[in-house]
Amino acid sequence: MEINFPFSTSRQNPSLMLPTPPTFTKMASMAFPVVQSPRNSTPIFSSNKEQTQNWNALKFVRGKKLLKDLSTWGIGGPCNYFVQVFHQTHLLSAIRYCREFSIPCVVIGKGSNYLFDDLGFDGCVILNQIDFLERMEPGVYRAGSGFRFNHLGSLSCNEGFTGLEFAAGIPGTVGGATYMNAGANGQETANVIESIDIVTTEGNFRTLNRMDLTFGYRSSSFQDMDNLAAIVAVTFRLEHSGSAKKRQQELLKRRRATQPVNERSAGSVFRNPVNLGVSAAELIDKAGLKGCSIGGAMVSNIHANFLVNNGASTSQDMLNLIALVKDKVHSKFGVELEEEVLYFHPYWNYAKWER
């Protein structure tokens, strides 16, 4: 899971001109289309010969990087452009390249919260490998946005600090966890954030203090920040605790017993309904949907809020299963489930989204 949403400038690059865009309906809450994506189309970039472009010491690969290799769901076709960044200056250069040539782009980390389309993505995927870690003082860690969040959770508890016990079970990055305000077992990322470094779409670096930001259940100010390009680094302030490591071990043991940790998933697909006293998983389970499958996509028998790829799921299988789950839960309980994962339409320039 990573940081932000695609952006593009108004100028059009002739090399990115697309055929007639697919039919779709308006999407809500960064969620899912209610009609099929164009299954009769070929992937966005289908050249048999790998093409590369070098720009400011960055290597952009054209059309050969499969998004399924960048997603924990293991679903997704080729992206038009792909580049890895290992430093904030690399990230800034990649963003400037996309702005210069009017290429929509998205910054990702572990891809643990995305559903990419089998047709791919007509834009640039920037893989965030900014994974440094600095110990500013005891209990204060500054981590690159590409640093593994579960590693930070384990490391901080092993060093005797509390606040990120839950993080050991989150298969994403520091940037993604901050952007979504990841949480579990009564803890949230926002509770221990001190400051956040970002880069804007204009190419400026800024540091934001925790008091300048608003966080909620799986939400943050960044999700409504129009000029956000990416989170670069996050500083966490933790408290000393002699029991943090033991508690974390208990949480990991419970996670292994109650979640399909050995299957391809994107974690929890739906947000828990607010003020209902019941989780999304409970509603899905009570609707009799555990084990329900469409193609290669299936509702986990272990945890009903996990939809797993049995090895052959297409993006449309997963979209259809998500739609089925929402329909059944709404019909039985009158509850409208809201997706926590994000779907990327292959033709971003033509999609109309609402936050």
Side-chain angles (χ1 to χ4, degrees):
M1 175 177 68
E2 192 48 27
I3 310 166
N4 67 333
F5 300 103
F7 62 86
S8 64
T9 56
S10 57
R11 289 191 300 117
Q12 289 201 338
N13 179 358
S15 68
L16 293 179
M17 293 302 288
L18 302 173
T20 303
T23 302
F24 59 90
T25 60
K26 200 166 191 179
M27 306 175 198
S29 302
M30 289 302 296
F32 295 84
V34 295
V35 299
Q36 293 186 344
S37 56
R39 296 298 98 194
N40 61 340
S41 300
T42 57
I44 284 170
F45 195 94
S46 57
S47 171
N48 291 323
K49 184 179 179 180
E50 180 176 297
Q51 299 182 27
T52 61
Q53 295 177 342
N54 294 314
W55 197 82
N56 281 8
L58 293 176
K59 180 182 177 181
F60 289 82
V61 178
R62 294 294 310 275
K64 287 298 179 181
K65 191 62 178 182
L66 297 177
L67 298 175
K68 69 178 183 180
D69 297 331
L70 303 175
S71 164
T72 58
W73 246 332
I75 298 173
C79 53
N80 206 340
Y81 294 78
F82 171 75
V83 65
Q84 300 184 69
V85 297
F86 298 87
H87 188 271
Q88 65 181 31
T89 56
H90 298 159
L91 175 61
L92 183 56
S93 292
I95 291 168
R96 285 175 173 168
Y97 176 89
C98 293
R99 286 181 59 84
E100 176 70 21
F101 296 104
S102 301
I103 303 170
C105 71
V106 58
V107 183
I108 71 169
K110 297 301 180 183
S112 59
N113 208 43
Y114 288 155
L115 174 60
F116 291 110
D117 197 277
D118 292 321
L119 295 183
F121 177 61
D122 184 61
C124 180
V125 172
I126 302 172
L127 182 61
N128 182 358
Q129 304 275 33
I130 306 173
D131 61 354
F132 68 85
L133 180 67
E134 300 172 349
R135 292 171 175 81
M136 313 301 289
E137 60 182 81
V140 179
Y141 302 88
R142 182 173 182 265
S145 53
F147 194 84
R148 288 183 297 147
F149 195 52
N150 54 7
H151 185 47
L152 178 61
S154 297
L155 181 149
S156 60
C157 285
N158 287 340
E159 295 182 356
F161 296 100
T162 183
L164 289 174
E165 288 90 330
F166 77 99
I170 306 295
T173 60
V174 164
T178 301
Y179 183 91
M180 292 298 295
N181 189 23
N185 307 111
Q187 293 182 321
E188 287 185 336
T189 307
N191 295 342
V192 289
I193 288 176
E194 182 168 87
S195 64
I196 301 172
D197 301 327
I198 69 168
V199 60
T200 69
T201 54
E202 294 79 24
N204 299 316
F205 290 105
R206 295 175 57 194
T207 297
L208 303 174
N209 294 320
R210 172 63 180 85
M211 65 183 66
D212 300 324
L213 301 165
T214 301
F215 290 89
Y217 174 67
R218 303 301 175 267
S219 67
S220 72
S221 301
F222 301 110
Q223 296 173 16
D224 296 311
M225 195 175 293
D226 292 334
N227 69 336
L228 172 72
I231 293 172
V232 174
V234 183
T235 300
F236 300 90
R237 181 173 292 276
L238 310 180
E239 298 294 329
H240 185 268
S241 171
S243 60
K245 185 175 181 179
K246 179 181 178 181
R247 180 168 186 255
Q248 185 173 80
Q249 291 172 338
E250 293 171 349
L251 294 177
L252 286 172
K253 181 179 179 180
R254 184 192 311 168
R255 177 176 180 267
R256 287 190 286 266
T258 59
Q259 296 180 12
V261 294
N262 295 318
E263 298 183 83
R264 303 211 69 162
S265 77
S268 294
V269 172
F270 301 101
R271 302 169 188 262
N272 289 323
V274 178
N275 299 325
L276 288 185
V278 61
S279 69
E282 291 175 283
L283 292 171
I284 298 168
D285 189 7
K286 290 178 180 178
L289 293 172
K290 271 189 174 179
C292 176
S293 65
I294 295 179
M298 185 183 80
V299 178
S300 171
N301 283 306
I302 300 174
H303 192 302
N305 200 13
F306 281 61
L307 307 190
V308 300
N309 176 5
N310 280 337
S313 176
T314 65
S315 56
Q316 195 62 53
D317 289 342
M318 198 62 72
L319 288 170
N320 289 343
L321 184 59
I322 288 169
L324 174 67
V325 169
K326 292 183 68 174
D327 180 67
K328 294 294 185 182
V329 168
H330 185 265
S331 297
K332 190 172 181 67
F333 304 108
V335 176
E336 187 72 37
L337 291 178
E338 181 182 352
E339 296 86 350
E340 183 174 321
V341 295
L342 309 175
Y343 166 72
F344 279 90
H345 194 284
Y347 301 94
W348 177 267
N349 281 339
Y350 296 108
K352 306 296 183 182
W353 300 72
E354 289 179 346
R355 295 277 169 96

